Amino acid sequence: MLLHGFGDTGDMWAPLAVDLARDHTTVVPDLRGMGLSSHPEGGYDKRTQAADVRAVLTRLGLDRAAIVGHDIGTMVAYAYAARYRDSTGKLIVMDAPVPGIPPWDQIVRSPLLWHFDFGGPDMERLVAGRERIYLDRFWNEFAGDPSKIDEATRAHYAALYARPGAMRSAFAQFRSIRQDAADNAAAMATKLTMPVLAIGGEKSFGANEAVVMRNAAVDVTELVVPDSGHWLMEEQPAATIAAVRSFLSRR
């Protein structure tokens, strides 16, 4: 199960999904309110979205799965693993903090993360018709090399985020983070026991991904992808694919 983040949709995983589909059943949804999914009024807390993921797997007749997440998808992936522990074979999280998991209180003070509290009707008006400008900020500021997010990629996602209701739902993903922090702080009382791979981009979250996950899980493997910022699949796809495949292949 491959879970995307903000600024992307499930489309981000295409190279990895093609590789994994050779010998894995591979499921790649668009998260609630993002991409081509519907835009409900609520339910953007990650625990509820974990239930969305569970419903997809159940509908497909799949009980046990490895869960892979990037960015917002990392937050949903952790919530899934915490809620459905016996059904999570392995967990892979990529380049994002997990709300409520230390050192969350220090991480969230970064001025780069002002968008966590950005949203509401007036913010929607500011961004309406300017979705590309807003998204460029993330691709430019969080990339190790912004040129790796090419024009075709930017245009593709900007069009999807300009669809009716898309930015309102995207803002809701972030504005639910305070609730996510409370939910995760409670879940963290019992650490995850499945194997976890914590991947960070060298020029982004780096080794901090493993620092976070060691506070939430007992079996954590750390990996830092060289010469990459936040956008691992766009900046270093071959290295990221190799890391995921290697971890999933371990017995």
Side-chain angles (χ1 to χ4, degrees):
M1 173 64 79
L2 308 180
L3 304 176
H4 68 90
F6 174 72
D8 287 308
T9 67
D11 295 344
M12 68 167 281
W13 296 116
L16 176 60
V18 168
D19 183 272
L20 291 177
R22 293 184 289 120
D23 50 8
H24 293 76
T25 299
T26 307
V27 184
V28 191
D30 287 342
L31 293 175
R32 174 181 291 241
M34 302 175 87
L36 300 181
S37 289
S38 61
H39 301 279
E41 286 297 315
Y44 293 93
D45 63 281
K46 308 311 174 286
R47 193 171 189 276
T48 296
Q49 291 189 78
D52 291 343
V53 172
R54 185 66 187 161
V56 170
L57 289 171
T58 299
R59 182 65 178 266
L60 294 173
L62 304 171
D63 177 53
R64 190 170 173 83
I67 310 297
V68 182
H70 174 258
D71 189 80
I72 290 289
T74 280
M75 301 179 187
V76 178
Y78 172 77
Y80 183 94
R83 186 169 183 178
Y84 304 106
R85 297 172 188 243
D86 292 342
S87 296
T88 305
K90 292 182 178 179
L91 173 65
I92 301 176
V93 291
M94 298 187 187
D95 211 76
V98 179
I101 306 299
W104 170 253
D105 289 342
Q106 288 71 45
I107 292 169
V108 79
R109 292 192 182 103
S110 169
L112 286 172
L113 301 182
W114 57 263
H115 57 278
F116 279 12
D117 286 316
F118 189 77
D122 291 332
M123 304 306 104
E124 292 171 31
R125 290 169 57 217
L126 279 173
V127 173
R130 306 176 185 88
E131 292 86 4
R132 170 62 185 270
I133 297 171
Y134 186 68
L135 289 166
D136 274 337
R137 178 258 164 173
F138 293 87
W139 295 322
N140 292 337
E141 293 191 11
F142 289 92
D145 178 358
S147 70
K148 294 291 184 68
I149 299 90
D150 61 24
E151 176 58 29
T153 299
R154 292 171 187 244
H156 173 72
Y157 289 122
L160 287 169
Y161 280 88
R163 290 165 63 93
M167 285 307 304
R168 178 175 297 179
S169 296
F171 290 147
Q173 293 280 356
F174 291 105
R175 287 168 66 83
S176 68
I177 280 177
R178 294 180 189 275
Q179 180 61 53
D180 300 332
D183 291 341
N184 292 341
M188 186 182 63
T190 304
K191 286 189 171 185
L192 304 179
T193 57
M194 75 286 295
V196 177
L197 175 61
I199 303 177
E202 178 187 26
K203 299 179 180 180
S204 182
F205 211 49
N208 286 321
E209 192 70 34
V211 171
V212 170
M213 292 312 300
R214 288 188 183 110
N215 288 315
V218 298
D219 182 3
V220 178
T221 300
E222 174 182 326
L223 178 68
V224 176
V225 176
D227 198 29
S228 182
H230 176 65
W231 306 101
L232 291 152
M233 282 302 301
E234 290 81 6
E235 297 185 65
Q236 293 294 339
T240 305
I241 290 168
V244 171
R245 174 165 282 284
S246 175
F247 186 73
L248 293 179
S249 298
R250 293 183 191 176
R251 295 296 180 185

